[in-house]
Amino acid sequence: MSAAQSSMNGGVLGRLRGLPFAAAAAPLLLLTMLAMVVLPLPPFLLDLLFTFNIAVSLMVVLAVVYVMRPLDFSVFPTILLLATLLRLALNVASTRVVLLNGHQGSDAAGKVIEAFGAFVVGGNFGVGIAVFLILTIVNFVVITKGAGRVSEVSARFMLDALPGRQMAIDADLNAGSITREEAKHRRDELREETDFYGAMDGASKFVRGDAVAGLLILAVNLIGGLAIGMGTHGLSAGDAAAKYTLLTIGDGLVAQIPALLLATAVAILVTRLSRSQAMGQSVRGQLLGDPRALIVTGSLLLALGFIPGMPNVVFLMLGSACLAGAWWIARRARQAAAEAEAEPSVEAEKPTELSWDDLAPADPLALEIGYRLVPMVDATAGGELMGRIRGVRRRLSDELGFLVPPVHVRDNLTMEPTQYRILIGGAVVGHGEILPDRWLALDPGNVIASVQGQATRDPTFGMPALWIETSTRAQAQANGYTVVDPATVIATHISHVVQQNAHEVLGADETQSLLDVLARSAPKLAEDLVPKTLPLATVTRVLQGLLAERVSLKNLRAIFGAMSERAAAGTTDPSGLLAAVRGAIGRQIVQGISGGTDELPVLNLAPSLERLLQDGANSNALEPGLAERLQNAITQHAQRQEARNEPTVLLVPPNVRATLARFVRAAAPSAHVLAFDEIPDTTRLRLAGTVE
């Protein structure tokens, strides 16, 4: 043997030695079955393998009976295939032994085949053949065909229902009824269930083919045995028929009985329902749960027992047993009902104490609706609200840079039927009223003719609008109105509210998730930042400050890198860290405001106002009269910039930016306050006005 071959064999053996026993058993079993087809087996080994085949079939049937759900035995199609291959390999091996050594006597192929053949034949070969054919017909025509049909229908129904069940999981996830881990578990379970029923549809064909193979092997053994016995070994026709028929029937029964057991297991499994109890408990609870069925059955049997000429003793015994069983079941039911009635009275005497489990935490993001808006949430009734909310969450998560939590939708009977409320952390941040059977026609300012409808205002932006009928929708669009459906109105309001209050939606859990995301691409940065350099609460405060000024958290590496660098220099104050982060991502901030153009229109402060603000920078507050005049001036500039379709950007010194940002956010929410050091060198500034 060459060195290369030795190395290859050593590597293969090493890999086999490294495998667990369960992992190595499957390929060894397949190789053993292939060897059984090719190599001759001694009678003792045939006895051992036939007995093992029967034991495996019994174990499979019992496992199917005791399993709670079909999916709990998901490996069954593979076991069915392996058991079928083992049985066919044994048939081939036993056929070889029967045809080669059948002339030597009834034990030429082992004691198991001899025992089955002698027991069934009982001295009459016609009876043995008839019994074998009946077993095969029962297996092939009744059990296998029925199980195959049930498997096919189950697989087809499962595939047809797959899209709807996946949408139901997504709807429950968006509604907040389940967590992401539960949704992932349910999707995995749904995929396994689909694969299982598809595999069962194919595996039932193995059982059907095995039944056909049993008939053909019986014919081959009978015809071949007679020909070989008379032609090769010089036996008479009677002796050859006696020897080879006994062996053939025994061989067929040894293979057909396990096949019948496995076919029965297939039929039981595919007709099972998913319940939290074994099959025996289900049958006992449903078939024998109502004593009326036993009472009627027992009464009929007793009536038949009194008819002359009938087997009176048997009918009377069974009828009495049914009536006794009905009495016992009714007695047990009365005892259970009495215990159930007694338990509440005992518990009522003991006052229930409150616990922490009785306190339900506030949802990070919730939507409360009146009862007339409930159909908008039900996807089965054509409601589109959950789909709209799912799209809003996906878009906001992409824009803001963190995963927006699910919106927990619930009905509130204390509200008006057509009202809704948006809550963040249990506090109402937005509300409105919706007419679910109307369309909202918004007036963008260029309407050429009005349409008939109920006057209202858009709950999101306060624009003039009309609630119109569906029949007026086309006319309103032609007249210049922007027409939206009620689900879109609510989804748009949720989107606007979350954008304006994203800093309240982001919490410590979301910050930790962002750190986990960063750890995948920059593990050292994430490890050094929290908790070695900064606590999680400080990092959360900085991220909330960015979101409060509508800065996306997409550039995680730059944001956390700036925090880490500034903290290493000794700054742990959230305001100082926020200023450092804004300076590091200034290009991103400016591009988000300007829309990617190189020119940015800005407002500056009058020199006297700038000196006044810098002198009072340490107080973080403005004198009331100055604050009022400044608010009026910024509001006028914001309106002027909005009329020009340009952003409102106030450029100020770094030491007053934080104070002015909080003030401007209340006066003009659409305005931006930038420090000098946040403007990239490549950006061209254009003076749009001076705040006096």
Side-chain angles (χ1 to χ4, degrees):
M1 182 182 295
S2 64
Q5 290 174 332
S6 300
S7 175
M8 180 183 67
N9 293 337
V12 172
L13 293 176
R15 286 192 293 271
L16 286 176
R17 284 194 296 269
L19 285 174
F21 174 76
L28 290 177
L29 180 61
L30 290 175
L31 292 176
T32 302
M33 287 189 290
L34 290 176
M36 290 165 53
V37 175
V38 179
L39 301 177
L41 300 180
F44 173 76
L45 189 55
L46 277 178
D47 290 343
L48 181 62
L49 291 174
F50 276 125
T51 306
F52 174 74
N53 187 26
I54 295 173
V56 169
S57 302
L58 290 173
M59 289 174 59
V60 170
V61 172
L62 292 177
V64 168
V65 171
Y66 291 126
V67 76
M68 297 295 181
R69 305 179 309 155
L71 198 59
D72 293 339
F73 201 13
S74 58
V75 75
F76 180 69
T78 304
I79 293 178
L80 184 63
L81 171 60
L82 293 177
T84 303
L85 292 177
L86 175 62
R87 192 164 53 254
L88 292 175
L90 281 174
N91 276 335
V92 175
S94 61
T95 298
R96 180 189 294 106
V97 176
V98 167
L99 295 181
L100 287 176
N101 304 324
H103 64 283
Q104 297 177 1
S106 59
D107 61 347
K111 298 297 183 181
V112 174
I113 292 179
E114 180 187 16
F116 271 84
F119 178 75
V120 175
V121 171
N124 191 326
F125 301 110
V127 173
I129 294 175
V131 171
F132 176 80
L133 291 177
I134 289 173
L135 286 177
T136 305
I137 291 172
V138 169
N139 186 11
F140 181 74
V141 177
V142 180
I143 300 178
T144 304
K145 186 175 181 180
R149 180 58 178 167
V150 173
S151 300
E152 180 183 355
V153 173
S154 300
R156 185 178 303 168
F157 284 178
M158 181 61 61
L159 291 176
D160 291 343
L162 183 61
R165 296 179 65 180
Q166 289 176 336
M167 292 175 64
I169 295 174
D170 293 338
D172 290 343
L173 177 61
N174 292 326
S177 302
I178 58 176
T179 62
R180 297 184 63 84
E181 291 74 16
E182 291 173 337
K184 182 178 183 300
H185 174 71
R186 287 173 58 177
R187 290 192 188 98
D188 293 341
E189 190 177 45
L190 181 60
R191 185 179 64 253
E192 291 176 3
E193 191 173 358
T194 305
D195 295 341
F196 171 75
Y197 281 103
M200 285 300 301
D201 183 25
S204 60
K205 304 300 188 296
F206 296 131
V207 180
R208 187 179 182 88
D210 183 35
V212 177
L215 288 173
L216 297 178
I217 291 174
L218 174 69
V220 170
N221 282 343
L222 281 177
I223 298 173
L226 291 175
I228 293 175
M230 292 186 296
T232 303
H233 301 293
L235 299 177
S236 64
D239 292 339
K243 294 179 181 296
Y244 285 99
T245 302
L246 177 66
L247 293 173
T248 299
I249 294 175
D251 180 28
L253 287 174
V254 170
Q256 197 62 36
I257 290 176
L260 183 62
L261 291 175
L262 286 179
T264 305
V266 173
I268 292 175
L269 192 65
V270 298
T271 54
R272 285 282 305 274
L273 295 178
S274 296
R275 296 186 180 273
S276 59
Q277 52 184 200
M279 188 182 71
Q281 295 174 335
S282 300
V283 172
R284 184 172 64 249
Q286 298 179 30
L287 182 62
L288 303 178
D290 192 345
R292 292 176 296 181
L294 287 176
I295 292 175
V296 175
T297 302
S299 301
L300 291 176
L301 290 177
L302 287 177
L304 292 174
F306 288 109
I307 297 176
M310 299 293 289
N312 308 96
V313 176
V314 176
F315 279 105
L316 292 175
M317 288 177 57
L318 289 178
S320 302
C322 289
L323 292 178
W327 172 82
W328 182 77
I329 292 174
R331 181 170 174 269
R332 289 288 302 271
R334 286 194 298 269
Q335 290 178 353
E339 293 175 358
E341 292 178 359
E343 286 178 359
S345 61
V346 174
E347 294 179 356
E349 297 175 0
K350 300 179 180 179
T352 304
E353 295 293 337
L354 290 175
S355 66
W356 287 104
D357 296 333
D358 297 324
L359 298 178
D363 296 309
L365 195 57
L367 173 67
E368 293 184 348
I369 57 177
Y371 68 84
R372 280 196 61 191
L373 305 184
V374 171
M376 297 175 59
V377 183
D378 188 4
T380 59
E384 300 178 348
L385 182 56
M386 297 309 301
R388 298 283 197 276
I389 294 177
R390 184 166 56 250
V392 166
R393 283 189 63 217
R394 184 179 295 110
R395 180 178 57 80
L396 287 177
S397 298
D398 182 65
E399 291 180 0
L400 299 176
F402 74 97
L403 183 64
V404 176
V407 181
H408 187 192
V409 182
R410 57 177 176 265
D411 60 331
N412 189 339
L413 297 179
T414 63
M415 298 171 52
E416 293 296 328
T418 57
Q419 285 185 343
Y420 68 90
R421 297 192 305 185
I422 305 170
L423 299 90
I424 294 180
V428 178
V429 291
H431 60 87
E433 188 171 0
I434 292 294
L435 300 183
D437 54 348
R438 302 284 186 92
W439 292 74
L440 187 65
L442 302 172
D443 184 1
N446 55 354
V447 174
I448 58 177
S450 61
V451 294
Q452 185 178 3
Q454 179 180 339
T456 184
R457 284 194 172 272
D458 170 35
T460 305
F461 304 104
M463 298 172 56
L466 295 173
W467 285 111
I468 62 174
E469 300 284 351
T470 304
S471 57
T472 320
R473 177 187 173 191
Q475 179 185 357
Q477 289 176 331
N479 292 348
Y481 285 95
T482 302
V483 182
V484 293
D485 60 279
T488 303
V489 174
I490 299 179
T492 304
H493 200 175
I494 293 175
S495 174
H496 180 72
V497 165
V498 173
Q499 283 180 325
Q500 297 295 322
N501 302 275
H503 57 289
E504 298 182 23
V505 177
L506 180 80
D509 292 338
E510 287 76 17
T511 302
Q512 184 60 55
S513 299
L514 290 175
L515 287 168
D516 295 339
V517 172
L518 177 67
R520 301 172 191 168
S521 57
K524 184 62 177 174
L525 176 58
E527 179 184 355
D528 291 342
L529 183 61
V530 177
K532 290 184 178 180
T533 306
L534 292 172
L536 183 63
T538 300
V539 176
T540 303
R541 288 278 302 278
V542 175
L543 298 183
Q544 289 174 341
L546 291 173
L547 291 172
E549 299 186 42
R550 303 187 300 284
V551 178
S552 174
L553 306 182
K554 277 188 173 183
N555 196 355
L556 285 179
R557 187 188 293 267
I559 293 173
F560 289 134
M563 272 193 279
S564 180
E565 182 180 352
R566 189 62 177 265
T571 301
T572 58
D573 179 60
S575 59
L577 294 172
L578 178 59
V581 170
R582 290 183 60 91
I585 61 172
R587 186 183 304 276
Q588 171 191 331
I589 296 175
V590 171
Q591 287 185 355
I593 298 173
S594 65
T597 60
D598 294 335
E599 185 180 76
L600 181 67
V602 297
L603 304 172
N604 68 345
L605 297 175
S608 58
L609 178 59
E610 183 175 320
R611 286 193 302 270
L612 185 62
L613 293 174
Q614 285 182 327
D615 292 339
N618 295 330
S619 64
N620 290 330
L622 297 176
E623 188 269 329
L626 174 63
E628 183 180 1
R629 294 193 298 273
L630 183 59
Q631 180 178 6
N632 293 333
I634 292 175
T635 303
Q636 292 175 2
H637 281 286
Q639 293 173 350
R640 189 179 300 115
Q641 290 296 103
E642 184 178 355
R644 298 173 182 171
N645 198 21
E646 292 182 349
T648 304
V649 181
L650 182 60
L651 193 59
V652 299
N655 59 337
V656 300
R657 196 211 69 83
T659 303
L660 276 179
R662 289 191 295 270
F663 177 78
V664 170
R665 190 159 60 242
S670 61
H672 303 269
V673 181
L674 301 182
F676 295 144
D677 56 356
E678 296 174 1
I679 305 297
D681 297 337
T682 56
T683 302
R684 291 185 291 106
L685 301 179
R686 175 171 56 84
L687 185 62
T690 300
V691 179
E692 298 286 349

